[in-house]
Amino acid sequence: MSSLTARRQPPAVPVSEPALSPLLRPARTAARYAVRHGLPARYLARAARRGDLVGRLLREPALRDHPYGLYEQVRAAGRLVPSALGLVTASHAVTQEVLRSDRFGVGWDRSHVPGLVGWALRFGDELDASGVAERPSMLVVDAPDHTRFRRLVSRAFTPRTTAAFEPMIRRTADELLDDLAVSAAGADGPVDLVDRFAAGLPVLVIAELLGVPTDRREDFLAWGAAAAATLDTGLPLRRYLAAERGLRAMHAFLREHFERLRRDPGDDLVSRLVGLPGEEALTERELHATVMLLLGAGFETTVNLLGNAVVALDAHRDQWDALRAEPAGWAGAVEEALRYDSPVQLTGRTARADVELAGQRVPAGTRVTLLLGAANRDPDVFADPARFDVTRHNARDHLAFSAGVHYCLGAGLARLEAEVALRALTERFPRLRVAGRPARRDLRTLRGFEVLPVSLG
Ligand code: HEM
């Protein structure tokens, strides 16, 4: 197979899934698709035609690859701007205030949504098709559940635990780079750095950290791509169905994995979660949501950081060379890559009560879309923000990992992986160049490359 063929094919051998009525499953899928994607897609397309900035951002194909011009239009319109999806902000200060405020939450109460939409939401709710941003994933629940889930897993992500993974990360990176050299030697043209390196490293690291079998790496990548797609709103039907197949396969794998660990627990985080005693025990659904989030978030974002960083560094060769000469600069370079082209471009919060924000009264229940990628280019915080500068003194003030109680649990791990990986890559292949047109992933919430052709020099 060519090294540039798309990665992440659905797994060849589906894992067994629990029996569901042959009629019920398609009906539930249809209900889920309609309320989560079909109707929002139409609504947003209509808003985009009216010129609504969020509608355009989420629907216009060209803005997927080049959102930064539109972000400046949002910024020019004000610090907090009405949109088809509530309010939207490109301001660093407003984004940070919302993320840190307990007057805003991630959850919204679906149980009272009236009429057909409410019914479809409830009817379509199914564990085996649920994605990483669906309840009870900690990403989308507020305290006290959020506090409970986060406490159970945070021990595996302390600075000390993370640092202990450095030798393993370096070893894995070196092995992948050995394979990359072999692929390049056997290829006629460029090799795909995403397929051969950037995607492989984070998935192997998180699998090792969670104690899930690393030999399922190709399956995880396929399932993770499905999980990543469902972070977006308004997917076309065919893409949604493919994503749902991936999610079902991932849940089926997790169910079998949990069973294995119940019979034969190991010394890993998932074994501990499966075996929690008494009142601490997680329900089956909580267990699936927690492990799926850790696994998916563990690699679907870091791959984007690596790809975005390589492309930015390739376009600023003097900085690449300076980092090779002075590797102490890598930590700052990773922060600048996170700021300049953020792997997670947007998130949102809902006002839990009537609040005052950016001089406006925001009624309870209002959704606020937070453009993290735009906040990270706010000229009030970052001088000349569209310039990539690995020596920028305050790059670390970015909000690429969010802020407040949902601040990325894996931020330390992602930073370490990126530092080790980029340093190893540039040491090993100092003349590596982007060779050909990189292709972006067809995603809006996440931003990264699907294919990144490089020559090793
Ligand atoms: C460059 C890589 C990464 C980026 C840019 C990133 C970004 C983010 C962001 C923006 C959020 C919060 C979203 C919000 O506030 O609505 C988040 C949450 C989270 N991230 Fe990451 N992440 C990365 C890597 C990782 C890794 C390696 C893990 C490891 C498991 C991880 C696990 C999590 C978890 C569990 C949450 C939910 C935290 C909570 O809700 O309390 N992330 N991440």
Side-chain angles (χ1 to χ4, degrees), residues 99 138-139 146 150 157 206 293-294 297-298 301-302 305 338 343-344 347 349 372 400-402 405-410 413-414 417:
L99 289 171
M138 89 176 84
L139 202 53
H146 175 260
R150 186 144 174 148
F157 294 91
I206 193 70
L293 173 66
L294 291 175
T301 44
T302 312
L305 171 58
L338 283 159
V344 180
T347 184
R349 295 291 188 267
L372 301 175
F401 289 124
S402 189
V405 292
H406 291 274
Y407 180 79
C408 176
L409 185 68
L413 182 64
E417 279 183 52

Side-chain angles (χ1 to χ4, degrees), residues 41-54:
R42 281 187 177 197
Y43 171 74
L44 288 167
R46 211 172 312 135
R49 283 196 294 277
R50 283 199 319 269
D52 181 90
L53 293 174
V54 171

Side-chain angles (χ1 to χ4, degrees), residues 190-254:
V191 281
D192 180 6
L193 191 71
V194 172
D195 185 32
R196 299 284 146 177
F197 183 65
L201 180 69
V203 72
L204 288 169
V205 170
I206 193 70
E208 185 80 28
L209 192 148
L210 293 179
V212 297
T214 47
D215 60 3
R216 300 299 295 268
R217 155 189 167 189
E218 292 300 326
D219 288 342
F220 293 147
L221 286 172
W223 303 337
T230 59
L231 289 173
D232 286 350
T233 307
L235 294 179
L237 180 61
R238 194 188 289 254
R239 270 195 85 204
Y240 175 72
L241 292 177
E244 191 177 301
R245 274 197 300 278
L247 290 172
R248 285 186 187 283
M250 191 160 180
H251 283 294
F253 161 79
L254 289 178

